[in-house]
Amino acid sequence: MEAPNPTARPQRPTLQESLRSSSFLHDHQQYKPSAPVNSIGNVLGTSLESGVGSLSLNPISPDPDRVTDSGITHSLFNHQVNPLPTDTPQVVATIFYKSSDPIHPHLHPDSSFNTDKLPSPTVPVGSAPTVDIEKIPREPPAPEPEPLDHLYGPFVSQLCLTNFLQILESLPTPYQRMNTSHRCLDQHEQPRVVEVTFSPPPNPDYLTFTDLRKHESIWRFEREWNVEVVLQKESVFRRHKRLVVFDMDSTLIQNEVIDEIAKFIGVEKEVSEITERAMNGELDFSASLKERVGLLKGVPADVFEKLKSVITISPGARELCKALKTLGYKLAVLSGGFQPLAEWLAGELGIDYAYANHLEIDLASQTLTGKLVPSYPIIDASQKRELLQSIAAENNIPVAQTVAVGDGANDLLMLHAAGLGVAWRAKSMVQLEAPTRLNGENMTDILHLLGLSKEDIKELL
């Protein structure tokens, strides 16, 4: 029998057709199991036998269209085939390309026609309590990382994914190679949404899952590639939720209702300033609500009927609710706004529960008194969390099977309490503190967090 050649490079294993994606990453090579590690002695010995000059030769010709391997690997990791146990924890990263929000609206300075008009330094949303540089009592923000999406494509490119996998392997596991797989959730060519599953996650003794979600390397990756990354622990409850609760103002609808009412009596500026500070967590919500409601004294009680014509439902909210109802979900709107509009919106979107604040009405004059009805609790942060838990208990739904979506500081408690809490186009401070955040154009993006593909969503609708 012919003796095996010890220096021969083994055939790379490939996934079966049923286990891998037929996406544009079919040729992705860097993260398939590599060849056995060569010792320094073997490398030097081979090089001396074949000539010193061969050290600088690359046996694989450069190919700009795909990631190539030099053929020589030096690593601390064991590259022998060693499958992980079946019960090894997994983490799912859903990567969204921010197609509507380029990092830089201009080309690179070297090729721009307006090189003398570079934009002023900005603070990325979600990286500081405010995006107003004048309000940050520190030195100016550090320069933004070089934007790469305009160089490699306005989508989750192959190099973008490669960079993400490199970042994952640089995190403290420790000393254990990660297994990774991916799915393109919207389209195989030039995808906007890609789901990456990796295991094992970093050792919690070195890096907790909470810290992993906020890791500086992942934040920088998001800025470089103009993407958002949502991390979730993989489990059957990640894919099979049963209850979703929503905030109303600036979430399911694009308006702040109390600001719209204030327009009727000319106090919009005063009310909107208080609203903004309350949503950023600068003011106690209950106290600020009472202060704003006090400014509405004398407004006709039929103002809510008039407001229905100016309320704008957020893009994708109808489709999101319809898809969730088709799947059998219970839905609720928990709003710091007002009950008449919350009930109207629930009827429009097919939502099962509607909880909001009740304004007191003077029956004689049919106007608002500027007070809240004392027999109803104020829907503040703690009340939203209690309602989430009570609705789940009423329907025998574990909290792990719940989703909360909101944008303000008064939503943070329910976002942290839910199985999945999503800060949707939220205030800067809320994005900093929320478990996850999304700033997309269409609320149906939330369905991708449940593992649903574009084709799945079409079928549901």
Side-chain angles (χ1 to χ4, degrees), residues 8 20 52 96 123 137 148 193 232 240 247 254 260 273 280 284 288 317 324-325 374 376 392 400 410 419 434 459-460:
R20 65 173 174 79
V52 177
F96 294 82
V123 180
L148 299 176
V193 188
Q232 301 179 74
H240 300 285
D247 177 41
Q254 295 184 319
E260 297 294 339
E273 286 178 353
N280 276 317
D284 175 74
S288 68
L324 292 174
K325 292 299 293 182
Y376 289 95
N410 63 325
E459 186 173 352
L460 290 173

Side-chain angles (χ1 to χ4, degrees), residues 252 313-323 344 348-349 444 461:
L252 284 178
I313 296 177
S314 298
R318 290 185 185 275
E319 293 80 1
L320 171 61
C321 291
K322 182 178 180 181
W344 168 79
E348 288 287 307
L349 301 181
T444 55
L461 296 178

Side-chain angles (χ1 to χ4, degrees), residues 22-81:
S22 58
S23 73
F24 78 116
L25 293 169
H26 176 81
D27 294 326
H28 181 77
Q29 296 194 23
Q30 184 165 345
Y31 284 89
K32 292 179 181 177
S34 302
V37 180
N38 292 317
S39 68
I40 297 296
N42 290 343
V43 174
L44 292 176
T46 304
S47 300
L48 291 174
E49 291 175 4
S50 58
V52 177
S54 63
L55 274 174
S56 61
L57 298 178
N58 189 337
I60 301 177
S61 59
D63 184 350
D65 293 330
R66 68 178 63 185
V67 178
T68 57
D69 195 312
S70 67
I72 299 175
T73 305
H74 305 285
S75 173
L76 295 173
F77 297 98
N78 178 11
H79 290 265
Q80 303 301 323
V81 177

Side-chain angles (χ1 to χ4, degrees), residues 166-459:
Q166 289 173 331
I167 291 171
L168 292 180
E169 291 221 335
S170 70
L171 300 175
T173 307
Y175 309 132
Q176 188 171 9
R177 190 89 179 195
M178 287 184 176
N179 288 352
T180 63
S181 60
H182 79 278
R183 287 197 306 148
C184 300
L185 295 184
D186 58 340
Q187 57 190 20
H188 292 310
E189 299 295 329
Q190 301 186 356
R192 187 183 66 88
V193 188
V194 174
E195 181 185 274
V196 179
T197 303
F198 62 92
S199 64
N203 189 322
D205 294 335
Y206 292 79
L207 182 66
T208 66
F209 182 69
T210 301
D211 290 338
L212 174 63
R213 280 176 156 173
K214 308 289 184 181
H215 201 281
E216 182 179 356
S217 296
I218 293 179
W219 178 84
R220 185 174 180 84
F221 164 78
E222 291 177 315
R223 298 300 302 164
E224 286 180 333
W225 291 98
N226 194 24
V227 298
E228 288 183 310
V229 179
V230 176
L231 296 176
Q232 301 179 74
K233 293 181 179 179
E234 175 64 307
S235 72
V236 66
F237 288 159
R238 178 190 80 87
R239 291 168 274 119
H240 300 285
K241 306 290 188 187
R242 294 169 59 195
L243 169 65
V244 183
V245 299
F246 297 96
D247 177 41
M248 181 172 71
D249 295 15
S250 298
T251 302
L252 284 178
I253 63 175
Q254 295 184 319
N255 316 69
E256 286 287 344
V257 171
I258 197 167
D259 294 347
E260 297 294 339
I261 299 176
K263 290 180 181 179
F264 281 87
I265 55 175
V267 293
E268 179 186 6
K269 182 178 181 181
E270 294 89 334
V271 170
S272 62
E273 286 178 353
I274 300 173
T275 301
E276 182 179 2
R277 294 179 65 194
M279 291 299 100
N280 276 317
E282 300 173 24
L283 298 175
D284 175 74
F285 179 81
S286 297
S288 68
L289 176 64
K290 292 178 180 178
E291 182 179 353
R292 287 175 288 164
V293 168
L295 296 173
L296 305 182
K297 184 177 180 179
V299 173
D302 63 352
V303 65
F304 297 109
E305 287 297 324
K306 297 176 181 178
L307 281 178
K308 291 177 183 178
S309 62
V310 301
I311 295 299
T312 303
I313 296 177
S314 298
R318 290 185 185 275
E319 293 80 1
L320 171 61
C321 291
K322 182 178 180 181
L324 292 174
K325 292 299 293 182
T326 303
L327 290 171
Y329 280 60
K330 291 291 184 181
L331 305 181
V333 54
L334 311 180
S335 173
F338 305 113
Q339 189 68 22
L341 282 178
E343 291 180 352
W344 168 79
L345 183 65
E348 288 287 307
L349 301 181
I351 293 175
D352 304 285
Y353 300 89
Y355 293 92
N357 296 301
H358 293 252
L359 289 175
E360 191 176 67
I361 298 175
D362 185 339
L363 297 179
S365 62
Q366 285 295 304
T367 59
L368 303 181
T369 66
K371 298 179 181 179
L372 296 167
V373 178
S375 59
Y376 289 95
I378 293 177
I379 309 298
D380 57 7
S382 60
Q383 186 66 19
K384 285 188 175 187
R385 178 175 59 185
E386 291 178 14
L387 286 169
L388 164 69
Q389 295 167 341
S390 64
I391 294 172
E394 178 184 336
N395 292 277
N396 297 314
I397 298 173
V399 175
Q401 286 185 275
T402 65
V403 181
V405 184
D407 75 301
N410 63 325
D411 298 315
L412 279 171
L413 292 183
M414 75 171 183
L415 295 184
H416 283 285
L420 172 62
V422 182
W424 176 258
R425 301 183 66 87
K427 312 300 184 289
S428 296
M429 187 278 290
V430 179
Q431 296 203 34
L432 276 177
E433 297 191 18
T436 62
R437 70 187 193 283
L438 274 180
N439 292 281
E441 293 181 279
N442 195 294
M443 292 194 75
T444 55
D445 278 353
I446 294 172
L447 294 171
H448 291 310
L449 300 181
L450 308 177
L452 297 176
S453 67
K454 185 177 179 181
E455 294 303 317
D456 295 331
I457 297 170
K458 283 183 178 180
E459 186 173 352

